[in-house]
């Protein structure tokens, strides 16, 4: 299978998850804020996360800046790890699969980006990652 198809499939699915989540956070704010309070988080971060999710998806899809795209990937990575941890922390295992699926899509998108996009990321290839592990 062509690596570009893998990249774009993973990237579009990941972006749809983030766009859908961002829109849900912004348009169903009272409901989402109630969920966040149940998780032990303050309600005021919901609109911030809603906007940031939309911006992260737009940044990765447009890739107008490689540095910002890499920063968006990093932010998504930490968000998905923390989301999985939050669901585990309150024993809400039904909410765990979306964050794990998102994490897999993120890793696939990040590791295949340099072979699918014109502007390469200095961090986006497995060879770079292997080199940093060996050092």
């Amino acid at each position: 299978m062509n690596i570009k198809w893998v990249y774009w499939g993973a990237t579009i699915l990941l972006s749809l998850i983030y766009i859908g989540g961002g829109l849900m956070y912004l348009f169903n704010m009272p409901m989402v804020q109630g969920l966040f309070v149940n998780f032990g988080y303050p309600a005021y971060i919901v609109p911030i996360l809603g906007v940031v999710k939309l911006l992260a998806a737009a940044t990765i899809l447009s890739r107008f800046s490689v540095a910002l795209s890499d920063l968006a990937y990093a932010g998504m990575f930490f968000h998905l790890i923390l989301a999985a941890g939050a669901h585990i922390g309150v024993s809400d295992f039904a909410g765990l699969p979306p964050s794990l699926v998102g994490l897999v899509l993120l890793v696939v998108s990040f590791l295949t980006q340099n072979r699918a996009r014109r502007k390469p990321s200095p961090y986006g290839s497995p060879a770079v990652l292997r080199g940093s592990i060996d050092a």
Side-chain angles (χ1 to χ4, degrees):
M1 179 183 275
N2 189 347
I3 200 74
K4 286 184 181 184
W5 285 98
V6 173
Y7 167 77
W8 281 110
T11 304
I12 289 171
L13 289 173
L14 177 67
S15 296
L16 287 174
I17 290 171
Y18 268 78
I19 290 168
L23 292 174
M24 185 184 74
Y25 281 25
L26 295 175
F27 289 112
N28 295 326
M29 198 173 305
M31 187 261 311
V32 177
Q33 286 176 326
L35 293 172
F36 268 62
V37 169
N38 289 340
F39 278 78
Y41 295 109
Y44 67 81
I45 66 172
V46 172
I48 297 166
L49 279 176
V51 171
V52 169
K53 282 183 170 211
L54 295 173
L55 291 174
T59 301
I60 287 174
L61 286 173
S62 68
R63 198 171 174 139
F64 62 89
S65 166
V66 174
L68 282 178
S69 178
D70 285 346
L71 186 61
Y73 275 118
M76 287 177 160
F77 176 77
F78 287 112
H79 169 257
L80 291 167
I81 293 290
L82 292 171
H87 285 284
I88 292 169
V90 297
S91 299
D92 176 28
F93 298 108
L96 187 59
S99 58
L100 296 178
V101 168
L103 194 57
V104 169
L105 292 170
L106 176 90
V107 169
V108 169
S109 175
F110 184 77
L111 293 178
T112 58
Q113 68 178 324
N114 281 349
R115 291 199 262 159
R117 302 296 291 252
R118 282 187 215 168
K119 297 181 200 174
S121 165
Y123 307 107
S125 70
V128 169
L129 295 176
R130 268 187 258 118
S132 65
I133 292 171
D134 293 338

